[in-house]
Amino acid sequence: MVLAQLGGSISRALQQMSNATIIDEKVLNDCLNEITRALLQSDVQFKLVRDMQTNIKKIVNLDDLAAGHNKRKIIQQAVFNELCKILDPGKPAFTPKKGKTSVVMFVGLQGSGKTTTCTKYAYYHQKKGYKPALVCADTFRAGAFDQLKQNATKAKIPFYGSYTESDPVRIAVEGVERFKKENCDLIIVDTSGRHKQEAALFEEMRQVSEATKPDLVLFVMDSSIGQAAFDQAQAFKQSVPVGAVIVTKMDGHAKGGGALSAVAATKSPVIFIGTGEHMDEFEIFDVKPFVSRLLGMGDWSGFMDKIQEVVPMDQQPELLQKLSEGNFTLRIMYEQFQNILKMGPIGQVFSMLPGFSQELMPKGREKESQTKIKRYMTMMDSMTNEELDSTNPKLMNESRIIRIARGCGRPIRDVMEMLEEYKRLAKIWSKMKGLKIPKKGDMSALSRNMNAQHMSKVLPPQMLKQIGGMGGLQSLMKQMGSSKDMMGMFGGADK
Ligand SMILES: Nc1nc2c(ncn2[C@@H]2O[C@H](COP(=O)(O)OP(=O)(O)OP(=O)(O)O)[C@@H](O)[C@H]2O)c(=O)[nH]1
């Protein structure tokens, strides 16, 4: 069961319960058992699941439910809070400061994706203006240094390692010293992968940590690790001061529940997730939006942040103005396709929009979707300015379609398909009509300006019904809006 399925199962359990006329202990227990089953099937550790169930029972007061309060909402909120609690140890991770040297050491099981993730982490910070450097202290796996070297060269990040030196402590110390002298502010030390049974390798890892005195030890974990996650993560935590976790391969078909367990074992926050093999398939991890996405509630703040990344700054106000007028033209679609292709996998963007990820960008088919987008753009290149800027769907008559097909050398049905896709996107974006436009550059204000009215238009009808219609959505947004993150996520509550 992948995490998305886990979210679906939990939502279904909640839905079934809210369909019951009277919520008594049995109905509540059935619902919680269903949720428990889904969590266990996703590899969340048994003890965590049991504790979660007990906590929810403590929080949810059956008398309140009987009094006719919105039962589903109360329980959904409790499930939401409990899942957040598992993933949020309540203390923030160390963040490196620009201009001040920080040493970050990467540890993890063999093949968890450490080396790949080191470069992603370095690259991410380099884009933010840091001066990162990579040190390969993995003397165990032949080829590890070559891999790091290759990645680092591609990203133009300085690196240090040795083909002959077999002592990882020595390499780590030399590398750190060298990059300190070169005024690098983020020195990243990659270490060998190991399993908890390998005592000698654990001792070696401890020595590297002691010698380099890292400001942060990052535990890298593959999301598919399953039930073993808790014990493995705990073993690492006992040997070195793990301060944060990165979960990799979140793009795969892993169950993913192990990741939740590992966080609980290390009592450290997840700070990033890896979503692919490429350098930029790396996302900041935020607990509340993540759980919200897991439960199928969408993640507006993430979506708006992505737009900020995808759309060049100078085009943002203009695009938002057009969207707020409800004028989604083919030209806008073309320009957005251009931006999206520049940025990389569009799945990352659209998976954040509630309910639309599957239609726009089926998981695992990103490459196909990109090819499709390029094909659409070729067809649009054969359109006139009038066609590109029109908001009148009737303009695209048969003769225009035939002309476009001839112009781009594609069959007529391809042009029709592209126009259908345009209509579908235009329909989605027309829901943005009336959006308050933030001042130039202040995209976060946009998410704050999104109110329940906008949300209700964008949410798929069945999801809105699940939440309890407009009234349910408003109170859910108010209730959740007490935290800043949630305000951002749902675009702010109506006051
Ligand atoms: N799909 C996907 N693959 C990933 C991700 N992160 C890493 N990988 C792949 O996972 C494999 C192992 O990654 P490495 O970086 O070599 O793993 P490692 O932990 O350094 O390996 P050891 O040094 O043997 O411990 C490689 O094929 C990576 O491309 C991710 O987020 N998604």
Side-chain angles (χ1 to χ4, degrees):
M1 185 189 282
V2 291
L3 276 179
Q5 281 169 315
L6 166 66
S9 306
I10 296 179
S11 302
R12 264 193 307 282
L14 291 166
Q15 181 61 42
Q16 268 166 17
M17 186 208 55
S18 61
N19 287 343
T21 7
I22 300 168
I23 305 271
D24 54 15
E25 194 148 3
K26 180 177 175 308
V27 176
L28 177 62
N29 279 343
D30 285 351
C31 170
L32 292 182
N33 286 342
E34 201 52 47
I35 293 174
T36 301
R37 215 180 346 261
L39 288 165
L40 288 175
Q41 274 173 9
S42 307
D43 275 338
V44 182
Q45 197 213 21
F46 176 71
K47 188 180 168 303
L48 290 177
V49 177
R50 200 190 48 205
D51 290 351
M52 177 174 168
Q53 191 170 17
T54 318
N55 290 345
I56 294 178
K57 272 193 179 165
K58 264 191 231 152
I59 298 163
V60 176
N61 183 343
L62 273 172
D63 293 339
D64 270 359
L65 299 184
H69 291 287
N70 191 338
K71 312 145 209 165
R72 208 193 64 78
K73 208 180 66 197
I74 293 173
I75 298 178
Q76 182 179 44
Q77 181 71 50
V79 173
F80 181 89
N81 289 345
E82 284 302 308
L83 282 174
C84 289
K85 238 164 68 186
I86 295 182
L87 279 167
D88 185 359
K91 53 167 190 200
F94 167 85
T95 37
K97 305 239 168 353
K98 263 182 234 168
K100 182 176 179 295
T101 310
S102 301
V103 177
V104 178
M105 176 176 164
F106 275 60
V107 300
L109 293 173
Q110 243 162 46
S112 55
K114 258 182 303 30
T115 307
T116 312
T117 308
C118 277
T119 331
K120 285 180 176 179
Y121 182 80
Y123 182 63
Y124 172 89
H125 284 92
Q126 190 187 46
K127 279 199 294 185
K128 297 242 174 277
Y130 288 78
K131 249 186 96 183
L134 289 157
V135 178
C136 176
D138 181 354
T139 50
F140 187 74
R141 178 165 63 93
F145 179 41
D146 274 334
Q147 187 190 349
L148 182 123
K149 204 164 135 180
Q150 237 175 34
N151 290 345
T153 310
K154 219 192 282 171
K156 298 192 175 62
I157 294 165
F159 59 88
Y160 183 83
S162 165
Y163 289 110
T164 49
E165 177 58 65
S166 58
D167 179 6
V169 180
R170 189 155 177 186
I171 297 183
V173 170
E174 283 175 5
V176 169
E177 282 314 311
R178 173 170 166 174
F179 289 127
K180 271 185 183 165
K181 277 193 204 121
E182 291 180 11
N183 290 327
C184 292
D185 50 13
L186 181 58
I187 306 172
I188 299 160
V189 181
D190 187 16
T191 62
S192 321
R194 61 206 85 214
H195 283 91
K196 76 182 177 94
Q197 296 81 356
E198 296 167 323
L201 282 177
F202 263 71
E203 173 54 23
E204 181 197 280
M205 174 178 73
R206 204 189 51 72
Q207 285 175 13
V208 173
S209 166
E210 223 169 73
T212 54
K213 302 206 172 16
D215 298 279
L216 174 67
V217 176
L218 257 166
F219 177 60
V220 177
M221 206 199 73
D222 179 338
S223 65
S224 64
I225 178 173
Q227 286 284 347
F230 190 91
D231 290 346
Q232 288 288 353
Q234 206 167 40
F236 276 90
K237 176 79 178 180
Q238 278 158 6
S239 297
V240 285
V242 172
V245 179
I246 296 181
V247 184
T248 60
K249 310 185 193 178
M250 289 292 275
D251 50 313
H253 296 284
K255 296 180 177 182
L260 274 65
S261 312
V263 177
T266 55
K267 297 195 174 60
S268 311
V270 179
I271 53 170
F272 287 98
I273 54 171
T275 53
E277 297 193 37
H278 297 287
M279 201 96 76
D280 55 359
E281 288 172 322
F282 193 58
E283 293 175 27
I284 285 196
F285 181 84
D286 261 334
V287 175
K288 284 174 178 164
F290 175 79
V291 175
S292 169
R293 266 154 84 181
L294 188 67
L295 297 181
M297 294 146 104
D299 168 17
W300 270 112
S301 71
F303 183 69
M304 289 308 167
D305 285 351
K306 272 287 181 228
I307 285 207
Q308 203 169 5
E309 265 182 50
V310 178
V311 182
M313 272 295 270
D314 56 338
Q315 287 179 24
Q316 285 173 14
E318 202 190 330
L319 169 68
L320 291 170
Q321 184 63 42
K322 284 180 191 159
L323 291 176
S324 76
E325 289 160 6
N327 295 336
F328 187 85
T329 58
L330 278 153
R331 191 184 297 282
I332 298 184
M333 178 162 98
Y334 188 93
E335 286 166 0
Q336 294 331 304
F337 281 169
Q338 254 177 340
N339 292 329
I340 282 163
L341 286 180
K342 246 187 267 159
M343 181 220 172
I346 70 169
Q348 285 177 12
V349 182
F350 285 107
S351 69
M352 291 172 184
L353 190 60
F356 293 110
S357 56
Q358 274 311 96
E359 294 146 63
L360 273 163
M361 197 89 197
K363 262 273 170 246
R365 287 176 42 202
E366 284 82 358
K367 281 215 170 66
E368 276 170 54
S369 302
Q370 291 211 2
T371 315
K372 193 163 76 181
I373 285 178
K374 283 183 193 149
R375 200 169 63 228
Y376 288 170
M377 288 170 76
T378 316
M379 292 185 235
M380 284 189 266
D381 284 335
S382 291
M383 288 184 166
T384 62
N385 283 340
E386 186 194 2
E387 286 158 356
L388 286 172
D389 293 321
S390 168
T391 48
N392 174 15
K394 294 205 180 105
L395 182 75
M396 297 309 292
N397 57 23
E398 204 180 316
S399 70
R400 284 181 191 264
I401 292 176
I402 295 173
R403 195 209 73 237
I404 294 165
R406 265 206 215 110
C408 65
R410 308 274 333 172
I412 290 174
R413 69 164 186 278
D414 281 10
V415 181
M416 310 259 298
E417 183 199 298
M418 182 268 291
L419 290 173
E420 279 310 307
E421 185 66 10
Y422 160 67
K423 277 189 211 153
R424 213 176 60 75
L425 282 170
K427 200 168 154 203
I428 297 171
W429 288 104
S430 70
K431 314 265 166 56
M432 294 287 211
K433 200 172 174 172
L435 203 65
K436 285 180 205 145
I437 303 299
K439 283 195 200 84
K440 198 174 176 180
D442 184 12
M443 285 290 287
S444 59
L446 174 67
S447 53
R448 284 198 297 276
N449 284 335
M450 302 272 296
N451 55 27
Q453 197 108 39
H454 286 121
M455 277 300 292
S456 71
K457 286 182 192 165
V458 183
L459 284 173
Q462 71 275 26
M463 195 188 293
L464 185 62
K465 199 167 147 226
Q466 244 183 36
I467 295 174
M470 192 58 194
L473 178 62
Q474 269 172 340
S475 34
L476 189 69
M477 284 169 74
K478 268 201 183 114
Q479 200 176 24
M480 292 177 163
S482 52
S483 100
K484 193 177 145 281
D485 284 352
M486 294 298 292
M487 288 289 278
M489 186 176 79
F490 283 114
D494 272 352
K495 303 244 166 55

